Each structure stands twice: as structure tokens, then as C-alpha cells.
Amino acid sequence: MGEAPEMFYVNGFAKVVPEVQPNHVNNVDDSSTWYEEIIDDDLKWSFKLNSVLHKAISEYQDIALLDTKRFGKALMLDGKMQSSEADEFIYHECLIHPSLLCHSNPKTVFIMGGGEGSAAREALKHKSMEKVVMCDIDKEVVDFCRKYLVANKEAFADKKLDLVINCAKAELEKRKEKFDIIVGDLADPLEDGPCYQLYTKSFYEKVVKPKLTENGIFVTQAGPAGIFSHKEVFTSIHNTIKQVFKYVVAYGTHVPSFADSWGWVMASDQPILIDAVEMDKRIEERIKGKLLYLDGAWFHSSTIMNKAVSKSLKNETHVYTEDNARFIPGHGIACRP
């Protein structure tokens, strides 16, 4: 067996130089470019690219918008896949619709992060919706997503959307109104990244919970939830939220472009779950258009974890604080030379 092709890496991009195979047709040419993502300290995977649409370093994070051959346009922040055209509907339907469907009559939503606009797009599908606040700290991310991600063009133009460029913590603290749903569509907690303080007990207890209506629901993305990755942050975020809310539901599913199963946590001080039949009924009555992934039966199945993950969720003792945080592999730009 021949040696692997030689690769040169520059800021996450890999240039493949193929080994000459005299008796085989070489299917990788000199112009092939790949983007490499670190999954763990000893694991990487790569995306073959058609082109790089945008690269920048904002005040808060390293940004890349890629046109990949497998997943279409893909947004990368600090080297981590945020979403791709091919399967972003999985992540965003799971993030948004369970909480809105379990709420009796959701009218107002506050989205922390969500700069690409997909979370807002899904929330605006609900006929009862009167106001969606999307608060992202990074104007550069929002601006180029508005320019390049045409699937969210209508959402950005919707009069019900209140787009705010600010720190989500500061924005929630200064607002007087309360919200039926608060969504954490934040980047993963990276060491020296812009978001990890928004996964802490003090933030949930002192900022998020007081801004929910009486039967309000909080939901957040909670990082990788796979058999090998769930202890990175998923179990800790779940346990932290359990310290603040009476009713907490963890759920997850596989997202192909993330190369792993992904987790979400939904919480309230009121009972949350409705049965599968009622959820399907509400989908039919409340949502404009069709969902591609979520239905009542699937959602209930997604709350049942495998034996190993269930045991870890039950036994987790770590509580997320500013001084005792957990991180997924990788670093924010503050750690870079």
C-alpha cells in the first residue's frame, strides 16, 4: 500500500499533492483543496471544496464560508462547522420546534446567537409568532450570512424579526419584556471563544430564567452527544440547567456535517412534554409549510438516550461556572498567535 498523499495546511485549509501512481488513474488533481476540522485532539476530518466564499477574522472569531462538494455552503466559526446547506434543517428544526410546539401559545422568542438566520426562519414558521428577537454579537457573521445564505432571505426581511447586534447577556439584561421562548443558538464552548460564559449556572439563573414568561421554555444547543463525545460538554450543560429549572429534557440526533450526534436541552418550571399525537396535531395546525425532519414520534424517540449516555447524564456532577468550565477541543482566536 502506498503512502498517503502529502498535505500542506494553512489556517485549516489543506492542499493535497497526490502521489504519482504509474498504473492507476489519479483522481485528485493539483488544484484540489480541502478544509480540515479538528474533531478531537487525535481526530480530524476534511471537506473537499469547490471554493472559499469568504474568510475573515472578526473581533470575536475566525470566520469561513465554504462551498463544499458534499454539504454545499458551510459556515465555519473558529474552525468548527456551524451549519451546512445540505443538513442544517436537522439542527434548526430540532433546536426551535420542540419548545415552540410544547408551549401552549408561543408569541415571542429571543434567540441568543443565530447569526446565519436559520433559527429565526424556523421560529417565524409558527402562525402564532408576533416577535422574534435575534441577538448576535458578531456583525460580520450576520452581514455575510445575509449576503450568501439565500435560504434565509425572507426571514431577514420579515417585519416580525428584530435583529440586534449585541452581547446576548447584555441585551437580555437591559430589556424589560419577557419571552415565551429563549433559545441558545450559540457557538460551542471553546476555550477563549466568545460564548462559554453563556453556558453557566449564574447566567441561566440570573439572566435567562427571569426573562421567561410564567410558562416560558428555555432551549439550548448543548454540543456533541455521541457515544465518545457526550462527556465533553453535553452532560455538564444538562446538569447545570437541572440546578436552575424544575423540568429538564435532553434530546439528540445525528447531524452528518457535524460528524457526530448532537444534543439539545429544553427546560421550564412547568411540565414540558406533550404526547406524539398532540405534537403532530400542533405541527399541522400551527406551522406554515412542512417540516423535513421532526414529527411527534421522532421527537419522543430522540429523548431516549443509549445506555452509556443515559448513565452519564444521570451521574454527572459538574456544574458549569465561569471558573470551572468545560470546553470542546479547539480554541477561540484569543489563543492564537
Side-chain angles (χ1 to χ4, degrees):
M1 182 177 293
E3 295 181 357
E6 184 180 3
M7 289 179 136
F8 297 96
Y9 301 96
V10 181
N11 295 328
F13 292 90
K15 192 74 170 180
V16 179
V17 180
E19 180 184 6
V20 176
Q21 301 284 349
N23 297 319
H24 298 84
V25 176
N26 203 313
N27 61 2
V28 183
D29 61 39
D30 288 340
S31 63
S32 294
T33 302
W34 296 69
Y35 186 90
E36 181 182 84
E37 179 180 0
I38 297 173
I39 304 298
D40 207 335
D41 294 336
D42 59 356
L43 181 64
K44 302 176 181 179
W45 80 322
S46 299
F47 308 95
K48 192 171 185 180
L49 304 182
N50 292 315
S51 63
V52 179
L53 298 173
H54 182 88
K55 278 184 66 183
I57 299 178
S58 73
E59 182 181 353
Y60 302 102
Q61 51 207 336
D62 193 339
I63 306 164
L65 187 63
L66 314 176
D67 182 9
T68 72
K69 289 186 178 294
R70 173 61 62 93
F71 297 112
K73 292 177 184 175
L75 174 64
M76 316 290 293
L77 297 179
D78 283 332
K80 298 291 184 181
M81 172 71 78
Q82 302 300 303
S83 71
S84 74
E85 281 184 318
D87 63 3
E88 60 87 4
F89 67 92
I90 301 174
Y91 171 90
H92 289 104
E93 287 189 14
C94 294
L95 173 69
I96 295 297
H97 295 298
S99 61
L100 271 73
L101 291 166
C102 289
H103 193 282
S104 59
N105 186 29
K107 294 182 178 180
T108 56
V109 173
F110 187 100
I111 300 170
M112 302 185 292
E116 67 190 274
S118 299
R121 179 197 70 214
E122 294 301 315
L124 289 164
K125 290 180 179 179
H126 286 254
K127 299 173 185 177
S128 63
M129 195 55 52
E130 295 178 357
K131 183 179 185 179
V132 175
V133 179
M134 187 184 89
C135 180
D136 198 288
I137 198 171
D138 201 329
K139 185 177 186 298
E140 186 159 0
V141 169
V142 174
D143 286 347
F144 84 72
C145 285
R146 293 182 74 167
K147 179 178 179 180
Y148 288 107
L149 302 183
V150 295
N152 298 333
K153 185 176 180 180
E154 290 185 11
F156 278 114
D158 197 304
K159 294 181 180 179
K160 296 178 183 178
L161 178 66
D162 179 9
L163 174 58
V164 179
I165 304 299
N166 197 5
C167 166
K169 179 177 182 290
E171 187 66 24
L172 276 172
E173 286 176 332
K174 79 175 187 179
R175 284 181 175 254
K176 296 181 180 180
E177 76 262 44
K178 295 187 177 184
F179 297 88
D180 296 321
I181 309 290
I182 296 179
V183 178
D185 187 17
L186 301 163
D188 300 322
L190 285 172
E191 190 172 358
D192 289 297
C195 295
Y196 79 89
Q197 294 177 347
L198 304 188
Y199 290 94
T200 61
K201 180 185 176 185
S202 62
F203 176 66
Y204 296 146
E205 192 169 48
K206 298 177 181 179
V207 181
V208 171
K209 189 172 180 177
K211 294 299 180 180
L212 285 169
T213 54
E214 184 178 358
N215 61 340
I217 299 174
F218 170 61
V219 63
T220 184
Q221 78 91 8
I227 189 69
F228 298 123
S229 59
H230 64 275
K231 292 183 181 180
E232 291 174 358
V233 295
F234 178 52
T235 56
S236 177
I237 292 171
H238 174 261
N239 187 57
T240 302
I241 292 172
K242 280 172 59 180
Q243 312 307 308
V244 178
F245 293 92
K246 293 180 181 178
Y247 299 91
V248 179
V249 177
Y251 58 102
T253 198
H254 183 70
V255 180
S257 63
F258 291 175
D260 208 344
S261 295
W262 213 254
W264 297 264
V265 178
M266 183 167 60
S268 179
D269 276 346
Q270 306 296 326
I272 304 173
L273 293 179
I274 57 176
D275 64 39
V277 173
E278 178 63 21
M279 182 168 279
D280 285 337
K281 180 182 177 183
R282 292 184 182 186
I283 290 171
E284 187 67 26
E285 293 174 350
R286 293 185 181 186
I287 293 178
K288 295 176 285 187
K290 298 291 184 181
L291 300 184
L292 299 176
Y293 192 78
L294 185 145
D295 63 16
W298 171 83
F299 175 71
H300 278 268
S301 72
S302 76
T303 66
I304 302 171
M305 303 292 166
N306 64 59
K307 182 178 179 179
V309 176
S310 294
K311 184 177 180 180
S312 297
L313 287 169
K314 180 181 179 180
N315 294 336
E316 181 64 76
T317 60
H318 179 263
V319 174
Y320 228 99
T321 68
E322 290 83 350
D323 298 323
N324 187 19
R326 287 183 181 174
F327 305 102
I328 65 169
H331 289 281
I333 61 174
C335 277
R336 299 180 190 181

